[in-house]
């Protein structure tokens, strides 16, 4: 049963998320091996409002700032896309790849024009709230990219059209389990196509850890030993500062045990019954990492993934919990000899059989009720984003079929990334999640610094989350 909430509550939740740093849902705008560029606004990009920039390009130019297809095409639809997933991407290779894909689609569909609104990276989170409001008022674009973290809210309020007529049941069934759980509704209708994703993994230096630790106990033992035997080297680093990744990355430990943050109605339950025990075990594990010397207490101040890259480059860390995209970043910043020392594996679990990893990414949904527009938008999804864009820019697909068919994903590291995604799990896209996340961030920090016991931290964060839930009703 899907969660239903008043619109104002949904809007408040998305607004609250603006205060948190994005992780999985904002994939890095770099292909493997490239440095992430600074966030910037491309010259002349479309403003993130309802006013499109004028199209002064020649009519025979098939890809312009705000248009795909001929200006005088007899049919058209409107589409919102994020800057990083368009021909206006800050990264030159990304921009070129999308321009090529858009050009081909326009040539293959001469009767259609796509009127674009490109949302700059720094405005994406805020614009999700705007888009939700527009869709409820019947003013949404015909189709749009929607953050996978909030797509469930769009599905719950009934503004997205089913896409089953445009994607086969085999293609729907091939979506990773964590994807189907979100984009396929209770009636079996595919309400959006989730086209790219990410995940978290354990990175480790093979000269210091010849084998990847598979369990919490193994990680504590080997990381503490490395730290003791190699002065100046930290055994294990993870996100423990007060930002979204301190929740999202470490939820893997909670989920691996079978934990659930909320019930079917969207009410927090992580402080009740077995879920309380799972959250308690998670916080106890994080504290033991510090107490044992496996991790330094400074993990409570880590506020970005780049800290792990910096430590790896300096040779001062033996392992860390990071994003899959950091494999390419490490390859870029380390010498060939040093990079050869690094490998990655699943995040250790309480037992070898209990594993999980956090996943994010982007979806594309159709708002228009016009069957012709639905078909055209679905064709653009299939022709541009469902595979071709994944391969062109190195962003992970969400389909087991694509992992098997696309040559780019038949090689390492993508083969293992694809296997690990089977254990992926996304954050619940409900209004209270931002409050839950904030409270877990606080709890993690208080436990790591010894300010509260794990028991006190669980109970305090749970009660605050319940209070936030009641306020949203």
């Amino acid at each position: 049963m899907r969660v239903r909430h008043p619109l104002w509550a949904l809007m408040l939740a998305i607004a609250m998320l603006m205060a948190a740093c994005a992780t999985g849902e904002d994939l890095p705008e770099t292909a493997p091996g490239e440095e992430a560029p600074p966030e910037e606004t491309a010259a002349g990009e479309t403003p993130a409002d309802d006013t499109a920039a004028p199209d002064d390009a020649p009519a025979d130019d098939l890809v312009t700032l705000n248009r795909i297809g001929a200006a005088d095409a007899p049919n058209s639809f409107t589409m919102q896309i994020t800057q990083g997933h368009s021909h206006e991407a800050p990264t030159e290779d990304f921009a070129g790849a999308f321009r090529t894909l858009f050009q081909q689609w326009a040539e293959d569909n001469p009767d259609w024009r796509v009127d674009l609104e490109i949302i700059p990276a720094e405005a994406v989170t805020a614009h999700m709230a705007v888009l939700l409001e527009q869709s409820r008022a019947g003013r949404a674009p015909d189709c749009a990219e929607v953050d996978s973290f909030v797509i469930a809210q769009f599905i719950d309020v009934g503004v997205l059209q089913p896409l089953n007529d445009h994607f086969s049941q085999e293609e729907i069934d091939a979506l990773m389990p964590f994807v189907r759980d979100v984009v396929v509704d209770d009636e079996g209708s595919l309400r959006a196509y989730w086209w790219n994703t990410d995940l978290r993994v354990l990175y480790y230096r093979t000269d210091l850890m010849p084998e990847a630790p598979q369990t919490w106990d193994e990680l504590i033992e080997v990381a503490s030993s490395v730290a003791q035997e190699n002065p100046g080297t930290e055994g294990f680093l993870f996100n423990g500062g007060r930002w979204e990744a301190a929740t999202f990355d470490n939820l893997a430990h909670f989920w691996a045990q079978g934990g659930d943050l909320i019930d079917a109605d969207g009410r927090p339950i992580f402080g009740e019954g077995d879920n309380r025990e799972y959250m308690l075990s998670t916080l106890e594990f994080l504290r033991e990492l510090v107490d044992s010397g496996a991790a330094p207490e400074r993990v409570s101040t880590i506020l970005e993934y780049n800290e792990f890259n910096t430590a790896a480059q300096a040779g001062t860390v033996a392992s860390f919990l990071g994003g899959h995209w950091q494999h390419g970043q490490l390859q870029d910043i380390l010498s060939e000899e040093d990079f050869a020392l690094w490998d990655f594996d699943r995040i250790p679990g309480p037992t070898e059989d209990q594993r999980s990893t956090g996943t994010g990414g982007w979806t594309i949904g159709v708002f228009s009720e016009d069957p012709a527009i639905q078909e055209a938008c679905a064709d653009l999804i299939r022709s541009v984003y469902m595979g071709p864009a994944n391969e062109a820019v190195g962003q992970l697909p969400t389909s087991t079929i694509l992992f098997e068919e696309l040559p780019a994903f038949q090689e390492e590291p993508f083969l293992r990334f694809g296997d690990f995604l089977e254990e992926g799990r996304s954050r619940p896209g409900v209004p209270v999640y931002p409050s839950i996340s904030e409270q877990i961030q606080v709890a993690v920090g208080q436990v790591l610094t010894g300010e509260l016991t794990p028991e006190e931290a669980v109970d305090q964060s749970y009660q605050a989350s319940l209070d936030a839930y009641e306020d949203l009703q």
Side-chain angles (χ1 to χ4, degrees):
M1 178 173 137
R2 289 193 174 270
V3 182
R4 311 285 173 183
H5 294 283
L7 178 60
W8 71 267
L10 303 184
M11 297 295 294
L12 177 61
I14 298 177
M16 290 171 64
L17 186 63
M18 292 169 59
C21 294
T23 53
E25 70 276 23
D26 286 332
L27 293 171
E29 304 301 350
T30 58
E34 294 182 337
E35 283 281 14
E39 286 192 353
E40 60 183 8
T41 300
E45 74 186 358
T46 306
D49 59 24
D50 295 328
T51 304
D55 189 351
D56 297 325
D60 59 354
D61 192 339
L62 294 182
V63 181
T64 72
L65 173 65
N66 61 356
R67 169 168 53 83
I68 302 171
D72 58 354
N75 305 298
S76 67
F77 65 89
T78 57
M79 183 174 186
Q80 285 181 1
I81 52 178
T82 63
Q83 181 185 359
H85 301 148
S86 77
H87 57 302
E88 295 296 312
T91 305
E92 184 177 348
D93 288 348
F94 275 38
F98 279 108
R99 179 174 291 278
T100 298
L101 292 171
F102 290 158
Q103 177 78 21
Q104 186 61 57
W105 188 86
E107 292 174 2
D108 293 342
N109 296 271
D111 292 338
W112 283 94
R113 182 185 76 249
V114 185
D115 295 323
L116 297 174
E117 181 180 0
I118 298 176
I119 310 302
E122 63 271 17
V124 165
T125 302
H127 199 76
M128 289 298 99
V130 174
L131 180 60
L132 181 60
E133 183 178 20
Q134 289 175 332
S135 66
R136 281 298 299 264
R139 296 185 291 105
D142 294 317
C143 57
E145 265 200 300
V146 180
D147 193 326
S148 65
F149 170 64
V150 295
I151 189 65
Q153 299 183 34
F154 287 77
I155 296 173
D156 289 340
V157 297
V159 294
L160 292 170
Q161 303 302 314
L163 298 175
N164 297 60
D165 289 343
H166 310 290
F167 295 89
S168 70
Q169 191 60 49
E170 180 185 13
E171 290 170 333
I172 296 171
D173 291 342
L175 293 170
M176 299 287 180
F178 71 91
V179 172
R180 291 198 308 272
D181 287 346
V182 175
V183 298
V184 178
D185 67 17
D186 294 341
E187 288 71 45
S189 295
L190 177 68
R191 293 290 174 170
Y193 191 84
W194 187 335
W195 73 273
N196 69 1
T197 192
D198 59 2
L199 73 154
R200 279 86 187 131
V201 297
L202 173 76
Y203 290 94
Y204 65 101
R205 264 180 59 179
T206 56
D207 59 327
L208 299 175
M209 296 181 177
E211 301 290 337
Q214 299 299 308
T215 66
W216 294 352
D217 288 343
E218 288 179 11
L219 176 61
I220 291 170
E221 180 181 1
V222 68
S224 58
S225 295
V226 167
Q228 292 168 9
E229 296 168 5
N230 299 272
T233 298
E234 296 168 321
F236 176 63
L237 295 178
F238 61 93
N239 278 302
R242 191 165 176 179
W243 72 303
E244 173 61 18
T247 295
F248 194 22
D249 289 8
N250 293 307
L251 277 176
H253 310 310
F254 175 71
W255 286 330
Q257 301 170 78
D260 288 311
L261 290 174
I262 61 168
D263 64 15
D265 295 320
R267 176 182 177 275
I269 57 172
F270 66 89
E272 303 175 3
D274 289 342
N275 289 305
R276 183 181 185 279
E277 294 305 310
Y278 301 149
M279 186 62 73
L280 181 60
S281 294
T282 297
L283 294 179
E284 289 174 340
F285 165 59
L286 296 181
R287 182 62 211 179
E288 180 61 22
L289 285 167
V290 173
D291 286 344
S292 67
E297 189 171 304
R298 79 174 186 89
V299 292
S300 65
T301 67
I302 292 179
L303 296 172
E304 60 177 357
Y305 290 97
N306 279 341
E307 286 208 33
F308 308 145
N309 293 346
T310 300
Q313 193 170 26
T316 59
V317 64
S319 64
F320 63 88
L321 197 166
H324 84 274
W325 61 87
Q326 291 183 269
H327 185 275
Q329 294 174 351
L330 291 176
Q331 188 173 21
D332 191 55
I333 65 176
L334 299 178
S335 68
E336 184 175 348
E337 180 181 4
D338 287 342
F339 178 70
L341 297 176
W342 284 92
D343 202 351
F344 66 92
D345 204 340
R346 289 175 167 84
I347 299 171
T351 69
E352 288 193 31
D353 296 330
Q354 293 176 295
R355 305 296 184 96
S356 187
T357 184
T359 55
W362 284 89
T363 77
I364 301 178
V366 179
F367 296 89
S368 174
E369 297 181 2
D370 185 321
I373 290 177
Q374 292 174 14
E375 183 176 357
C377 185
D379 184 75
L380 187 144
I381 295 172
R382 177 183 296 280
S383 302
V384 173
Y385 291 95
M386 183 182 168
N390 299 113
E391 196 164 31
V393 300
Q395 293 186 349
L396 302 180
T398 60
S399 165
T400 57
I401 291 176
L402 296 182
F403 265 104
E404 293 169 358
E405 292 182 350
L406 297 179
F409 299 100
Q410 292 302 300
E411 302 175 356
E412 290 291 354
F414 297 111
L415 283 173
R416 278 187 286 167
F417 288 153
D419 288 342
F420 297 173
L421 278 175
E422 292 291 343
E423 300 159 352
R425 187 156 175 178
S426 61
R427 290 162 289 182
V430 295
V432 76
Y433 175 79
S435 295
I436 292 176
S437 175
E438 181 181 8
Q439 294 305 320
I440 291 177
Q441 293 167 37
V442 172
V444 168
Q446 290 173 324
V447 168
L448 291 176
T449 60
E451 182 179 344
L452 292 181
T453 67
E455 292 87 350
E456 292 169 337
V458 170
D459 293 339
Q460 180 175 290
S461 61
Y462 179 55
Q463 185 57 56
S465 297
L466 282 178
D467 292 342
Y469 174 77
E470 294 300 328
D471 289 342
L472 287 169
Q473 300 310 298

